[in-house]
Structure formats: C-alpha cells, structure tokens
Amino acid sequence: MSNRARIDAVQKAASRSIRTFPRPMDAQGRPVRVSVMFGSRTFNAERMRERLSPDVYARWAETMEHGRKLDRPVADAIAHAVKEWALEEGVSHFCHWFHPMTGSTAEKHDAFLWFDRDGRPIEKFTGSMLLQSEPDASSFPSGGMRSTFEARGYTAWDPTSPMFIMDSPNGRTLCIPSAFLGYHGQALDEKAPLLRSMDALSASATRLLAALGEPAHHRITVTVGPEQEYFLIDRAYAGLRADLVIAGRSLQGARAPKGQMLEDHYFGSIPVRVQAFMEEVELELYQLGVSAKTRHNEVAPCQFELAPIFCEANLAADHNQLVMQTLRRVALRHDFLLLLHEKPFAFVNGSGKHINWSMSDTRGDNLLDPGKDPQQNLRFLTFLAATLLGVYRHAAILRASIASHGNDFRLGANEAPPAIISVFLGDFLTRICDGIAAGDVSTLDPGKAMIELGISRLPSIAKDNTDRNRTSPFAFTGNKFEFRAVGSSASISFPTTCLNAAVADAIDQIGAWISAAGGGPAAVLAAVRRALQESAPVRFDGNGYGAEWVIEAERRGLPHARNTPAALAALATANAAALFERHGILSHEELHSRFEVRVEQYNKKVEIEADVLREMVDTLVLPVGLAELAEAQAQVDLGPAAVRRFRELQARIEALDTARQALDAAAGKVGEGNEAERAASYCANVVPALLTLRETCDGIEAMVTDSRWPLPRYREMLFLS
Ligand code: ADP
Ligand code: MG
C-alpha cells in the first residue's frame, strides 16, 4: 500500500500546461467579435428569415407569437431549410434533444442518410422528422405513468427554442429542442410543464393587467436568468476518487489547513488555467446563442460562477442545460473534472443556482420594475403583492421544487438559504408594504394614497435599497426576484414551473378580489392590501442563518421541511394537485409521477453513496489503517509517544469499524416498503450513518503516514496551482 498514485496525481496537476485553442478569425486575421459569432451554430430567427420564403417565415412567426401548432407544409419548408443549412455546416446527424425527468438531457441521433427510389444514398429530413420522434420511453423514469399507459412516448419540437449544432471532435449533430410526451399527451419531461406554466402565468397576468386598465397585452413573458456555480478540480484526482466520479461529491476527506477562512477567493483574480477554460466555454456558448455574460470566482476555493443575460424561461432552461453540458465537455479538454454537485466538499461552501425571475409585458417592459408614474407603480405593487401571496400560499411546493439529496447538505447550513421559504424585500419596500397593509386604503383616493405612501417615489430608491442579503432564499433585487435556494446541479425547469404556478394562482386570487369589489383603482389597492396582509408572515429581512429565525418562522406558521423526503411530501397533497390542475400545468397523475421520480432518485442517490463509501472503507481506508496500526504496534518500544500513537490509532480504527457496521445496520433497516417510506428511513438512518463513517475515515486520514495515504487530500484537490 503506497501513496504513489496520489503523489503522481499531485505532480501531474501541478505541471499542467495551459490549453490554448484556435479562436475564430475574420478575413483580416482579427478575432471574430462576439456579436458576430453569437448564435452562429443556431437556426435562429435571423437565419430563418434568410432561408425561408417570406410566406413561410410569416407563418412561422405568427405561430410563435400566438403559440399555435405548426402546420405540415410550414414544417416541411423549415425542415428543408434547416437541412440545407446543416449540410453546409458539415452536419451529418440530427437528434431530438429533450429533458426527461432525470433532470439532465437526453438525445437519440439519426443520420440524415437515406436512399432514393433508385437506391442511391441521399440526405433526407422532412417536416414529420422535425416535428416528432419516438425514442424508447421505457428507459426513462415515468414515475408510474408507464403502468397505466403504453410504454411508448414521443418527442415533439419546441419551435420557440432554436435548433442548434452540437460539435464533437469528429463530427457535428443538429439538435432539435423538444418536449417529451406519452402517447396520451402526458408530460414525461421537464419542459412540457414549464411551457404550460408560462402559458398559465401569461393568461392570468394578461387578465389582471386588463383589470388594471391595460387591456392591450396579449402575452406576458416569464423572464429568467440563472446564475450557475460550479467547482473545478484537476482531472488527475478523478481516477483515484470513486466518490467524486460516481457520487459527484467527496464522501471522505480530512479538513484542509486552509479552507475559505481567509476569504481570498471570492471575486479574486481568476487562476490563468481556469480563465483559459472559461474563455473556451464562452466561445462555445456564444456560438450556441447562449449569452454568457459574467464570470467570477466564488466563495470556496476552486469554485466559480457563470451567469447569462436573462431570457424567456423555457429558453433559459434549455440554455442552462447547455451551460452545464458545455462546462463538463470543455473541462475535460482542460484536464479538469467539473463538479456541479451542491456540496462536493465538506467544510467549504456548496454551490447553488440562483434563478432570477420576473415577467415582462407585450412591449417588453418588466412588470416588477417600479415605474415612473402612479399607474405604473400601482401595476408594480400589484404584481409584487401577487408574487408575495403566491410564495406565501405555496411555500411548501416551492420548497419541494428545490429538494434533492445534494441540496440537503447546503440548505440551512450557514452558507446557503435556510430550508424555510421567506421573501426579502429591503427596507424601503417593506415600509411601503407595511404602510399599505396597515392603512385603510379603501377610504383614500388611490392617487392620493400613492402619494401619501410615498409610492410615486419608488423607482430610484427601490433599486438602491435592495441590498445583498445572501441569507434569503427568495429576494427582491431591484426589478426581479432571485430564487436562491435552487441547487447547482438541478434543472431550473421544475422550480420555475412551481413558481409560475404559485404566482399565476395568486394573480387570479387578486383578480377575483378586484372584480368582487367592482373594479377600479380603489378596488385594486384594496386587493393589494389584502394580499400584503395575508402574506405578511413570509416577509423576512433578517438573518436567515440565525437559529432565532427557525423559531420565529415556526411561530409565524411557515413550513419548514428540513430534508428532501419531508419536503417532497408537499407534492403529494391535495393542495398541490389542485394548484397544478387548476392552471392546466400538471394533471394529478403527472404531478404524482414527479413526486415518485424525485423520491426514487433520492433513495438511489443515498444507496449509491452508501455503496461507494463502503467500498472505499473496505478496500482503502481500513487496510491502510490496519497496516499503519501494525507498524505503530511494532514501534511501541520507542517510548510513550509511540504508545500513545498506537492506542489512538487503535481507538480510531475501532470507531471506523463500529461506524462501518452501523451503516450496514442502517441500510438493513430500510426494508421493502414503498419508496416514500424508504426515503424517510434513508434520511433518518443511512444519511447520518454515512456522516459518522465519514468522520471516522477523516480521523484515520489525519493519522496515517503521508507516504501511505492513497486518496487525494482536500488540500491537494482544492487548491489549483
Ligand atoms: P447578482 O448581483 O445577483 O449577481 P446580476 O446583476 O449579476 O446580479 O444579475 C443576475 C442575473 O439576473 C443575470 O442573469 C441577469 O440577466 C438577471 N436578470 C436581470 N434582470 C432580470 C429580469 N428582469 N428577469 C430575469 N432575470 C433578470
Ligand atoms: Mg445573484
């Protein structure tokens, strides 16, 4: 047993050369500008206009605007045009690219290759191939929907998301963003519900705007900008750490002498090797039409962030998948291992994905932007109140939407928002909201009330006043909300779907209150007041990390699901079923399947971690510890220090063995009940047993002679040279 492989890896990591890659150049030999290369690998609206007849283009544009179905001749014309473009670009295959309920993406490739009547090879791509494809649905999770319906499913093109070309080292593939549906139209994926929730929110918001005296809006857009955090470590360590490769996080590792306590990483200068990686990621993303805008170091060592410019929610969801996929692929080229896990390393911060969220009207104006005049401010306040009410009433569902085994290590751990959903508004808006909630606005002339409440002064002050309270899971930041409790590896689709549903529901409630009061500005203000009163408990600007908040939140009656099984239970309630059904987002069956899939995934993840750690203990930690113990025993004649060392090591190995057996006992208790019962048992018994076992491993790592320890250490993996 030696540390040879570990030392080789450390040396390899320290001596990496920095990868450069050929940047695209223009005819004059200058690097091509980002604005010029942006979207060059997408079949975007501009390319469609160039390549489609004016008539076909107009019909496509009309379909987009009104969310109608594409008819076959239009689809055929688009298929022909995209095929010609793709062939010019050297593409040989196409695939429907979709988002099954695994949270990642799936694709099945087909060549354009076909034979004509005379048996000669040709390239063929038709409207029907564009619109629909039939992957074998039985290999994807369906959460029980398969038992009641046929196993088959089909993917259907989402024409609101442009097709794009995926490069691989020896070829190119045309990807067709798609939804994945069962034969009776049940959503088997993350995208279909997201699209439905966007429609629902649009319908509700349009009606409310009409009640506010703005009947001209026919489509409200949900805008989303997800900030993506991630870790990078040298790839040389991957082969030596099954936990990182299989579980995506380290299941063992003694604390490094330096963690993030010097606070020298956040916004620090980016390591050269990482910047070279980021530049290649961005180049790829620009070509794919993804607006990578911001890059910086994050709080933990080896932790970084990428944020795009916001766009329509479904596109943002597709783009975020492309971001994760591109980070992973490019990382390998730079000899990095990308870790998207919420908590890859204990003792330093984990990673999240902040979903910045708002709505904009038909003119592109942000509904959560405080306006310049009382009318605009009334509109701002109404949508603000609706968001508060939605988040308040459906907090448990929002909590469920971000629940995962990985996120359990992050939420409430003094580094990320707590598992209690609350909303941060900042001092100024809090005063306004408190004022409206307390005052008897119904007796006031609305115009006068706005002035008295200081609402006509909203714009500048509100923006300056929304500080950066990082402890809030759902914060108002000037002209948008930021849902910060989302996990870094999660798809943004489901949390966004749940948020859209919650807010659509609250908008309808406010609309109902307004119409019951006969409409008009006074009725609007009264409804806003009622929404603010009801939702007051969800507003919290204090320290979300504090222990007092947990007690206070309980007093306020806010739900607090401390772990994934407890959180997911909210998806199995009549309240959730009614919410999603009412807005045509998920049928009861579709919702239940999501509950099942998530519970099952939780169970599998814990099971995998238990298996991996068991193997690491049995094949590495324990044998190394015993070898060390034998040596220590042979040295006891050397004096009291040697005796103490022997005894201490012996005690630690006994503790390891006890913890190892306790893990088996905990796993044995899980039993064969239903998945939800098993999840509760995994959570209550296996997860803590894993943690104890990990601590005993760390205790041994801290004592074993360095030349014997085989696993790359935290201090080696976490600090890039
Ligand atoms: P932070 O200080 O939290 O990092 P940034 O100003 O960098 O905030 O913005 C974070 C994200 O918010 C970006 O992706 C940005 O595009 C997005 N964003 C800005 N305005 C909106 C909006 N109206 N709707 C959705 N996302 C938005
Ligand atoms: Mg942010």
Side-chain angles (χ1 to χ4, degrees):
M1 194 85 50
S2 90
N3 72 343
R4 186 56 186 275
R6 186 188 122 223
I7 296 303
D8 283 353
V10 172
Q11 274 165 0
K12 214 173 188 174
S15 58
R16 295 279 188 204
S17 52
I18 290 171
R19 174 185 150 90
T20 54
F21 54 92
R23 294 169 72 191
M25 296 291 170
D26 67 12
Q28 284 78 42
R30 290 175 305 215
V32 178
R33 282 191 206 180
V34 170
S35 57
V36 172
M37 71 169 91
F38 195 79
S40 61
R41 275 156 58 186
T42 65
F43 200 63
N44 55 18
E46 195 186 320
R47 206 144 280 128
M48 283 188 151
R49 197 175 10 236
E50 277 163 26
R51 290 179 173 259
L52 296 173
S53 71
D55 174 49
V56 170
Y57 180 79
R59 277 157 71 193
W60 172 78
E62 202 178 305
T63 307
M64 289 305 93
E65 192 154 340
H66 300 288
R68 283 202 211 105
K69 243 185 136 118
L70 273 183
D71 57 22
R72 191 40 74 70
V74 175
D76 277 331
I78 295 175
H80 178 74
V82 73
K83 182 191 80 177
E84 292 302 310
W85 171 70
L87 292 177
E88 285 165 28
E89 295 287 330
V91 172
S92 61
H93 287 63
F94 66 94
C95 75
H96 278 229
W97 183 79
F98 58 102
H99 312 280
M101 288 189 268
T102 54
S104 55
T105 59
E107 47 197 74
K108 177 189 166 224
H109 298 205
D110 275 299
F112 285 128
L113 177 67
W114 203 254
F115 294 104
D116 71 7
R117 267 177 234 264
D118 304 321
R120 281 178 306 218
I122 54 164
E123 273 87 15
K124 181 175 167 180
F125 187 58
T126 63
S128 67
M129 295 170 178
L130 167 65
L131 290 178
Q132 204 161 310
S133 146
E134 284 189 39
D136 177 9
S138 61
S139 354
F140 296 103
S142 75
M145 280 200 281
R146 259 198 311 277
S147 50
T148 37
F149 293 97
E150 294 92 335
R152 291 161 76 206
Y154 64 95
T155 54
W157 179 35
D158 164 17
T160 59
S161 183
M163 291 178 261
F164 59 91
I165 294 173
M166 190 55 92
D167 269 346
S168 55
N170 302 313
R172 307 188 98 187
T173 305
L174 176 73
C175 296
I176 305 163
S178 303
F180 181 36
L181 303 159
Y183 248 76
H184 297 266
Q186 330 85 292
L188 292 173
D189 70 350
E190 302 267 319
K191 173 169 255 187
L194 175 61
L195 290 169
R196 293 177 195 159
S197 75
M198 292 162 65
D199 286 346
L201 185 56
S202 174
S204 300
T206 310
R207 279 195 300 272
L208 183 58
L209 281 170
L212 296 178
E214 299 185 54
H217 298 283
H218 55 82
R219 174 97 200 152
I220 299 305
T221 310
V222 180
T223 54
V224 163
E227 302 164 49
Q228 178 71 50
E229 294 179 348
Y230 59 93
F231 276 82
L232 286 175
I233 63 162
D234 195 279
R235 194 182 171 183
Y237 300 122
L240 301 176
R241 301 239 18 166
D243 49 355
L244 290 179
V245 175
I246 295 173
R249 74 180 183 105
S250 59
L251 296 171
Q252 178 281 329
R255 187 193 286 266
K258 177 181 165 185
Q260 58 195 40
M261 66 279 251
L262 297 179
E263 295 177 342
D264 53 356
H265 193 64
Y266 191 55
F267 281 10
S269 69
I270 301 170
V272 180
R273 190 175 153 203
V274 174
Q275 182 149 345
F277 154 82
M278 289 172 165
E279 282 157 350
E280 191 168 351
V281 166
E282 287 157 7
L283 181 75
E284 295 252 340
L285 290 177
Y286 295 148
Q287 294 174 355
L288 290 169
V290 180
S291 59
K293 170 83 174 162
T294 308
R295 59 180 180 218
H296 61 79
N297 290 358
E298 259 301 326
V299 172
C302 278
Q303 191 188 26
F304 307 94
E305 181 182 304
L306 182 156
I309 299 171
F310 68 92
C311 60
E312 196 161 357
N314 65 318
L315 208 54
D318 281 1
H319 284 179
N320 183 249
Q321 291 288 355
L322 284 176
V323 164
M324 293 194 285
Q325 211 166 313
T326 305
L327 287 169
R328 193 178 297 290
R329 292 159 69 118
V330 177
L332 293 179
R333 290 183 218 152
H334 289 255
D335 292 311
F336 285 127
L337 176 69
L338 174 81
L339 297 169
L340 288 174
H341 195 281
E342 285 74 17
K343 190 74 179 178
F345 301 98
F347 319 118
V348 295
N349 273 16
S351 299
K353 177 142 53 192
H354 299 175
I355 300 184
N356 292 270
W357 175 95
S358 190
M359 299 159 276
S360 49
D361 68 17
T362 308
R363 290 187 303 262
D365 289 336
N366 184 348
L367 295 183
L368 292 175
D369 214 348
K372 294 167 200 70
D373 54 55
Q375 165 63 28
Q376 254 180 306
N377 280 330
L378 189 59
R379 160 171 141 167
F380 161 71
L381 276 176
T382 310
F383 282 93
L384 184 82
T387 310
L388 287 165
L389 184 63
V391 173
Y392 173 66
R393 286 189 174 177
H394 302 293
I397 291 169
L398 293 173
R399 168 67 184 94
S401 77
I402 52 154
S404 69
H405 178 48
N407 221 9
D408 280 359
F409 293 100
R410 185 180 154 257
L411 296 181
N414 274 344
E415 60 175 77
I420 305 161
I421 301 291
S422 66
V423 184
F424 171 90
L425 284 186
D427 287 349
F428 182 75
L429 278 181
T430 297
R431 270 206 308 283
I432 303 261
C433 290
D434 286 347
I436 297 174
D440 189 3
V441 287
S442 55
T443 60
L444 285 175
D445 160 53
K448 202 165 145 241
M450 305 285 282
I451 292 165
E452 282 189 11
L453 290 163
I455 297 171
S456 20
R457 289 188 295 120
L458 270 180
S460 55
I461 306 172
K463 272 187 185 145
D464 298 341
N465 238 272
T466 53
D467 83 0
R468 296 283 182 244
N469 181 336
R470 292 279 148 182
T471 70
S472 176
F474 199 85
F476 185 73
T477 50
N479 58 2
K480 62 186 189 291
F481 279 98
E482 195 170 327
F483 192 7
R484 297 205 185 108
V486 186
S488 50
S489 69
S491 157
I492 64 166
S493 296
F494 193 56
T496 308
T497 300
C498 292
L499 181 55
N500 292 346
V503 177
D505 205 53
I507 287 176
D508 285 356
Q509 173 66 83
I510 289 178
W513 285 335
I514 294 172
S515 73
V524 173
L525 210 48
V528 167
R529 177 181 179 232
R530 194 164 163 188
L532 292 175
Q533 283 173 338
E534 184 185 326
S535 64
V538 86
R539 290 195 270 122
F540 177 64
D541 279 10
N543 176 16
Y545 294 171
E548 321 80 67
W549 170 230
V550 174
I551 297 161
E552 165 68 8
E554 197 170 318
R555 197 190 57 75
R556 294 187 187 187
L558 299 179
H560 183 192
R562 287 163 210 267
N563 51 57
T564 296
L568 289 177
L571 297 182
T573 58
N575 175 37
L579 170 71
F580 290 110
E581 210 144 42
R582 195 155 59 236
H583 296 278
I585 296 168
L586 291 168
S587 68
H588 191 287
E589 190 198 22
E590 288 169 329
L591 176 64
H592 189 71
S593 77
R594 273 145 191 87
F595 167 73
E596 289 276 326
V597 168
R598 281 173 159 71
V599 173
E600 245 177 65
Q601 273 185 353
Y602 177 83
N603 293 346
K604 284 182 185 151
K605 288 203 167 144
V606 181
E607 218 162 66
I608 289 170
E609 290 193 349
D611 284 345
V612 172
L613 189 58
R614 245 190 225 116
E615 186 188 302
M616 286 169 71
V617 168
D618 294 351
T619 65
L620 292 164
V621 182
L622 186 59
V624 167
L626 290 174
E628 186 78 20
L629 187 67
E631 195 179 278
Q633 189 172 27
Q635 293 172 341
V636 289
D637 293 341
L638 298 178
V643 173
R644 266 198 302 278
R645 181 173 153 71
F646 170 69
R647 290 210 183 113
E648 177 61 31
L649 194 59
Q650 193 173 39
R652 291 190 187 194
I653 288 175
E654 270 164 28
L656 175 78
D657 186 51
T658 307
R660 170 71 182 79
Q661 289 180 41
L663 175 63
D664 280 351
K669 262 199 233 152
V670 172
E672 299 294 317
N674 70 36
E675 294 287 333
E677 287 161 10
R678 285 159 52 80
S681 179
Y682 273 119
C683 182
N685 304 308
V686 178
V687 173
L690 274 166
L691 189 66
T692 311
L693 183 55
R694 176 230 159 94
E695 283 164 1
T696 63
C697 290
D698 295 358
I700 295 192
E701 177 185 340
M703 279 197 77
V704 165
T705 313
D706 188 64
S707 60
R708 181 175 269 135
W709 187 252
L711 290 163
R713 299 183 190 278
Y714 269 21
R715 66 168 147 83
E716 292 159 348
M717 293 187 286
L718 275 172
F719 298 93
L720 289 167
S721 48

